[in-house]
Amino acid sequence: MSFKFTEENLKKIEEARKKYPTSLAAVMPTLYIAQEQNGYISNEVIDEIAEVLGIDKVDILSVVTFYTMYHTKPVGKYHIQVCTNVSCMLRGAYDIWDLIRNKLGIYNMEVTPDGKFSIEEVECMGACGYAPMIAINEDYYENLTLEKVEEILNSLLNNE
Amino acid sequence: MERIVLPDIPNLNHIEVYLSNGGFEAAKKAFSQTPEDIIDQVKKSGLRGRGGAAFLTGLKWSFMPRTTDKPKYLCINGDESEPGSFKDRQIFEYNPFQLIEGIIITCYAIGAQTAYLYIRGEYHKWIKLMQKAIDTAYEKGFLGERMKETFNTDFYCNLYIHKGAGAYICGEESALMNSIEGLRGYPRVKPPFPAQRGLWGCPTTINNVETITNVPPIILKGWEWFSKIGEPKHPGTLLYGVSGHVNKPGVYELPTGILLTDLIYNYAGGIPGNKKIKCVIPGGTSMPPLRGDQLEGVRMDAESLKQAGSAIGTAGVIVMDEDTNLLKVLLRITRFYHHESCGQCTPCREGTGWMEKILHRIAEGNGTSKDLDLLISVANNIEGNTICALGDAAAWPVKFMIQRFRDEFEKYVKPDIKITIPNKVHSLRNTKLPLN
């Protein structure tokens, strides 16, 4: 199935291109726009970006496979990122990781069968003073306890 | 104590509040002087970079060529991915206009008409807040072509946010430039340095967010005022991020040269349960850790920490109490650097992986004393043998943690005592997470 940018997103890409002297430099913002529209970066998405920016596909693939925030597979409606780096680890991040993993029954980078949740163990999220923390989609949840995490998960589980 | 970067003024992120507290007066003052004057004042102030290397800011600016046919660029580093460091987001949230004003003055001083503010991609909220502030600055004529009228000058500059995408290495200045150019964040071989050949082959200066935010008060109040704050060789204040086993973790703006124990006990509220401190990493995980009994008299500035056997880094202080399992901590740190190695240099790409494997072996109860020496040997072979400082950053924690806590690590490698490391570490192996 081919992928095409919406008219609105084509305008966003054009705005991004104006920030840089080369089209290649717009590849990172364009990938974000594509990911927001499609959910992840498929081969079809790469084809379309190459067409729109007028750059080689390999240049896009090179970027997609280097940066961890671009998904090459679909993620859940709620993508939960758990920071387990030192400051979070010292304050119980792995207990939170275990709780989420057990409750959802999935491993790292897996998606629940209903497509609602995915989890990812991530490196430092720059929230060390508010540890432990998780991020769900674009939102940070900080100073967490197991009870708070349970509460957050339950509210998402009940949210259709 | 006067706060320079995060003043205690409510709603300073609102343009009206910023303006009523002297906002953009420093920029106006700067435009009445020559760029050379501005660089001279920043040099005399003694301002050092806040991103890790503590290099003299004015000196760095002076490396930019005055006469060139090429465009010049400014990059502001807000990638903030060093574990333990979480200071820049406070500036994005609470004092974005002082950062913008600092960018304007810096652009004028170095002759750059385009600035890229590189912010880590995970900071969605703070990117939105910063973009809102930039949009406001454009609307009010503090950025863009209307600057000519607003400031009555021939100079103008544009400021764009470039959003990172989850690669720690992009905090390294040349990797950051590659990332802005739309490439993999591979560090570049230096020389040539960015001032000679930076973004798209043009002269470029790269400064940390906190460094740039210090610039407007220096210009407005004078370099003499700034140079008298804190330690003479490393003046000003720092945003100390304190995390780990403390009662009140958070960001504290205090003068350089404050006692590390003062920071931990008086500001960060001491250790939960009044436990003893086993280990402190004073400047982010790449800096050599200090033992609890090494902290007395240690001051938080570049020179003092060097003497104490560590470094100031990003002033991200991680505190670990007496019950902390340092093998588990070191394994987590090493796994981080292995994951974040860009893979260009063999010593870093392979060495970080070897160190992680050896630490796993020890954690699984199969280590011997020789493994500790082997780890130090691998670390020594990485250190100084890579294009960028990530190699050193990965090597130092291993080398210094084992050297300074040898007794503790010896406990884990005695074959007759099987230490069971909490299964949380093992879960790293069971998560199907690719190692790289």
Side-chain angles (χ1 to χ4, degrees), chain B residues 18-264:
Chain B
Y18 186 66
L19 289 171
S20 63
N21 282 279
F24 292 100
E25 291 300 323
K28 282 178 195 160
K29 190 177 172 187
F31 287 124
S32 69
Q33 302 170 19
T34 66
E36 288 76 12
D37 286 340
I38 305 295
I39 293 175
D40 192 47
Q41 287 167 60
V42 175
K43 262 187 194 172
K44 285 178 179 163
S45 75
L47 175 66
R48 290 183 181 216
R50 304 308 200 219
F55 193 76
L56 286 163
T57 305
L59 188 62
K60 187 188 252 191
W61 291 3
S62 70
F63 296 154
M64 289 288 274
R66 299 310 309 169
T67 51
T68 173
D69 296 337
K70 293 177 176 177
K72 296 185 206 172
Y73 293 101
L74 171 68
C75 297
I76 308 97
N77 190 343
D79 195 40
E80 186 148 271
S81 306
E82 174 88 359
S85 178
F86 51 101
K87 62 190 179 64
D88 295 340
R89 63 182 254 191
Q90 325 291 327
I91 296 171
F92 300 143
E93 185 163 351
Y94 299 111
N95 201 7
F97 292 110
Q98 190 170 315
L99 169 60
I100 293 171
E101 189 173 5
I103 291 168
I104 292 166
I105 297 169
T106 309
C107 279
Y108 175 65
I110 63 170
Q113 284 197 298
T114 307
Y116 293 102
L117 172 54
Y118 194 105
I119 306 182
R120 62 176 302 161
E122 294 90 341
Y123 274 2
H124 299 281
K125 173 184 167 184
W126 294 277
I127 289 170
K128 280 179 189 160
L129 291 172
M130 204 58 226
Q131 187 60 57
K132 192 178 161 195
I134 291 171
D135 292 344
T136 305
Y138 269 105
E139 279 165 27
K140 302 280 182 188
F142 295 126
L143 281 170
E145 294 201 22
R146 281 179 47 220
M147 279 174 72
K148 289 180 176 179
E149 305 150 32
T150 315
F151 293 113
N152 192 24
T153 169
D154 288 336
F155 182 83
Y156 75 93
C157 62
N158 286 304
L159 170 60
Y160 307 114
I161 290 178
H162 185 89
K163 188 176 165 183
Y168 166 77
I169 190 58
C170 291
E172 195 279 337
E173 60 178 15
S174 60
L176 182 145
M177 292 191 297
N178 272 350
S179 184
I180 292 174
E181 288 186 18
L183 305 169
R184 289 180 154 223
Y186 281 160
R188 301 176 184 178
V189 177
K190 290 184 269 187
F193 290 96
Q196 281 83 50
R197 192 174 168 79
L199 273 179
W200 297 287
C202 302
T204 304
T205 292
I206 299 132
N207 286 130
N208 181 262
V209 161
E210 186 186 341
T211 313
I212 296 282
T213 311
N214 272 290
V215 171
I218 291 172
I219 299 303
L220 197 62
K221 298 181 181 181
W223 62 266
E224 297 94 338
W225 161 80
F226 186 84
S227 67
K228 285 175 188 145
I229 300 167
E231 280 297 300
K233 288 185 177 174
H234 188 180
T237 60
L238 288 176
L239 296 181
Y240 298 99
V242 190
S243 64
H245 294 141
V246 287
N247 284 313
K248 292 194 291 178
V251 172
Y252 298 91
E253 182 174 359
L254 297 161
T256 54
I258 187 176
L259 283 170
L260 177 53
T261 45
D262 205 14
L263 180 63
I264 294 170

Side-chain angles (χ1 to χ4, degrees), chain B residues 338-371:
Chain B
H338 180 207
H339 182 266
E340 299 299 335
S341 172
C342 80
Q344 273 194 111
C345 310
T346 308
C348 178
R349 182 186 64 243
E350 300 298 321
T352 51
W354 292 346
M355 292 194 299
E356 190 192 343
K357 277 182 190 167
I358 297 165
L359 284 163
H360 260 298
R361 182 161 73 218
I362 297 171
E364 283 158 5
N366 299 318
T368 70
S369 275
K370 283 182 183 171
D371 281 329

Side-chain angles (χ1 to χ4, degrees), chain A residues 5 8 18 20-21 27 31 38 49 60 62 64 70 92 98 107 126-127 131 134 149 154:
Chain A
F5 280 113
E8 191 189 349
K18 287 180 189 165
Y20 309 96
V27 71
L31 278 165
N38 193 57
I49 293 175
I60 303 160
S62 163
V64 170
Y70 299 125
D98 287 345
Y107 283 100
I134 62 173
V149 176
N154 285 339

